[in-house]
Amino acid sequence: VHHYKKNTVVSLGDDVSMTKRYGETYSTNPLNNIPEGYVLTGTPSNVSGTVEGDVVVIYYYDLKDVTLTVKHLEQGTNVPLTG
């Protein structure tokens, strides 16, 4: 199980390896502690299943969107500039 920045192979967390036998079921999880500023982009289609060969699960994380508000004020006051 890999935890990568979206569209890269840059790791955001420790890889997880499991040993399972053919025909056994497996289940994986996203990071418990997602780095600040990142969000899980979706759930992989193979997050769980039955082992039928080597399985690679990749979770991708992307930077969160933030809202930035800019206010134009008179210096030293909270009075908005009019324009």
Side-chain angles (χ1 to χ4, degrees):
V1 180
H2 303 290
H3 303 277
Y4 294 149
K5 288 183 182 181
K6 185 177 177 181
N7 299 322
T8 75
V9 291
V10 176
S11 183
L12 289 178
D14 293 334
D15 289 346
V16 177
S17 294
M18 305 178 200
T19 301
K20 297 282 187 177
R21 294 187 179 273
Y22 188 90
E24 290 184 324
T25 59
Y26 70 92
S27 182
T28 65
N29 295 301
L31 289 173
N32 287 327
N33 297 310
I34 297 173
E36 186 174 347
Y38 284 89
V39 62
L40 180 65
T41 62
T43 302
S45 62
N46 64 342
V47 69
S48 61
T50 302
V51 176
E52 297 176 352
D54 291 339
V55 177
V56 177
V57 179
I58 302 174
Y59 289 92
Y60 287 103
Y61 304 82
D62 202 0
L63 290 171
K64 291 181 181 180
D65 290 332
V66 296
T67 301
L68 179 63
T69 303
V70 177
K71 295 182 179 183
H72 299 277
L73 306 173
E74 284 187 37
Q75 186 173 349
T77 74
N78 284 328
V79 177
L81 293 175
T82 58

